[in-house]
Amino acid sequence: MTDDLLEVRGLRTVFDTRAGQVPAVDGVDVTVRRGECLGVVGESGSGKSVTFASVMGLIRQPGRIDAGEIRFDGRDLRGLSPSQMRAVRGKDIAMTMQDALTALNPALTVGEQIAEVLEAHDETLPPRGGARRTAIRDRSEEMLQLVGIPSAASRLRQYPHEFSGGMRQRIMIAIALACRPQLLIADEPTTALDVTIQAQVLELITDIRARLGMSVVLITHDLGVVAEHCERVMVMYAGQVVETGPTAEVVANPRHPYTKGLLASIPRPALRGQPIQPIMGQVPDLIGMPAQCRFHSRCPMAIDACLKPIPMRPAGLGRQARCIRLEEM
């Protein structure tokens, strides 16, 4: 057994549109180690969610995985049948979606939605009858208690709209963790929550990760969140990974202009009264995008040599960056 739980190599996921083919994920490599928290950062449209929807086998037409290898705990996920992949989803790998209100089924109680996961994946349940129903109810109540929802027994009978935004996010996490997965993919788990509730949800994920010994992928656009909760970070831009490495080192000394721009755009108390430095320009149109640095049109360090394919390059111990001028950063 290796230290690497998830290994993705050369992943390319495309979407066919009337205007042309969109390579939403183009040549992405990802490694998630056992027990670690990997932060995945980038602005909207960078390919973060599509990368891990591909891992989960959730890409549907007009999208498809065009190339690449996805291995989880030594298994080739791309070689699995749809029924085999359904057995992996929810049991071994779980994912929480961005908006809990739309992700949860409004017509089913919270208890019924947790029970669905247990029925599909928990092989330790009694085979049938009252003993099985009791076991499912007890496990469902245990999961709500695990994520810090009070009066769990009575709240199992409530519907998603009867909970606050923060509580719904906790319910999403409870459903995801019902079968004790090895890997939790948390896709923007603090979207639309106020700052206090955001902190509570993130602390909850960190605490449960330590208690269950699972790996976590935290997808976010907030480098501050990653700096506080993740050992390693992967920065994505326009469908590609542009920098990766230990979080503390990447934050302290970014080696790609895009990462540097993200950090410069974060408000800081020490810079009170000074204007925030935005990244100028727009994300490029990926349809017919030439083989060049995708950050070229927005980069203050761009030169003619950037108008060609730029591979990931070593940028220090355990670090890589997709920039030909990283030594100058």
Side-chain angles (χ1 to χ4, degrees):
M1 185 173 68
T2 68
D3 288 337
D4 296 337
L5 181 63
L6 175 68
E7 297 176 273
V8 178
R9 296 290 177 265
L11 179 65
R12 178 178 166 84
T13 302
V14 301
F15 290 83
D16 296 313
T17 71
R18 291 181 179 179
Q21 189 179 88
V22 179
V25 174
D26 194 3
V28 166
D29 294 345
V30 186
T31 299
V32 181
R33 298 165 186 157
R34 297 180 190 275
E36 81 165 347
C37 183
L38 172 69
V40 182
V41 181
E43 60 196 286
S44 297
S46 61
K48 309 183 299 296
S49 297
V50 175
T51 295
F52 289 93
S54 302
V55 170
M56 294 287 287
L58 296 175
I59 301 299
R60 300 289 181 266
Q61 289 294 332
R64 68 180 186 279
I65 298 177
D66 204 36
E69 180 181 5
I70 304 172
R71 301 191 70 84
F72 177 78
D73 202 16
R75 300 176 68 186
D76 177 11
L77 296 189
R78 291 200 64 199
L80 300 183
S81 67
S83 61
Q84 290 173 323
M85 193 63 213
R86 280 195 299 272
V88 171
R89 241 183 348 253
K91 181 181 180 183
D92 299 317
I93 312 175
M95 188 172 187
T96 64
M97 302 302 180
Q98 291 187 27
D99 186 350
L101 185 59
T102 56
L104 294 169
N105 189 329
L108 298 179
T109 66
V110 167
E112 289 171 324
Q113 295 185 61
I114 299 175
E116 281 186 333
V117 178
L118 295 171
E119 287 276 12
H121 299 294
D122 193 340
E123 298 171 355
T124 67
L125 294 173
R128 63 182 64 84
R132 185 178 182 88
R133 288 192 295 272
T134 299
I136 289 174
R137 185 181 64 248
D138 291 346
R139 285 289 305 281
S140 299
E141 183 177 340
E142 177 190 345
M143 294 314 301
L144 289 192
Q145 291 171 343
L146 179 67
V147 298
I149 294 181
S151 307
S154 63
R155 306 213 76 175
L156 285 172
R157 298 189 293 272
Q158 293 183 304
Y159 291 85
H161 72 271
E162 298 180 81
F163 293 83
S164 67
M167 286 295 183
R168 284 194 293 266
Q169 198 64 53
R170 289 171 182 263
I171 291 166
M172 283 282 293
I173 295 170
I175 293 171
L177 298 180
C179 291
R180 301 290 199 270
Q182 297 180 67
L183 174 63
L184 172 66
I185 300 169
D187 189 359
E188 298 280 7
T190 58
T191 296
L193 301 180
D194 64 50
V195 175
T196 302
I197 304 302
Q198 285 182 22
Q200 292 175 3
V201 170
L202 292 168
E203 287 297 335
L204 171 66
I205 292 172
T206 300
D207 179 58
I208 293 177
R209 170 191 156 217
R211 290 165 64 180
L212 301 184
M214 67 181 178
S215 301
V216 172
V217 172
L218 183 58
I219 301 173
T220 180
H221 60 273
D222 191 337
L223 261 173
V225 166
V226 170
E228 188 171 350
H229 295 277
C230 304
E231 290 91 354
R232 285 194 306 125
V233 62
M234 181 175 85
V235 182
M236 293 190 68
Y237 180 77
Q240 295 182 333
V241 178
V242 296
E243 184 164 3
T244 185
T247 304
E249 295 180 23
V250 171
V251 169
N253 181 27
R255 304 299 300 277
H256 192 279
Y258 179 62
T259 311
K260 191 172 183 178
L262 287 178
L263 287 164
S265 64
I266 298 174
R268 293 184 176 87
L271 302 178
R272 187 186 301 272
Q274 298 183 29
I276 295 174
Q277 299 296 318
I279 301 175
M280 305 305 293
Q282 300 293 326
V283 177
D285 185 352
L286 296 183
I287 298 176
M289 181 76 180
Q292 64 178 49
C293 171
R294 294 187 174 181
F295 192 59
H296 175 270
S297 63
R298 306 174 72 184
C299 181
M301 299 178 65
I303 56 176
D304 289 344
C306 301
L307 296 173
K308 63 180 182 180
I310 309 295
M312 292 290 280
R313 302 175 61 195
L317 185 62
R319 296 185 62 179
Q320 289 185 309
R322 193 182 297 273
C323 183
I324 61 173
R325 303 186 68 183
L326 61 86
E327 290 85 1
E328 302 171 45
M329 292 288 292

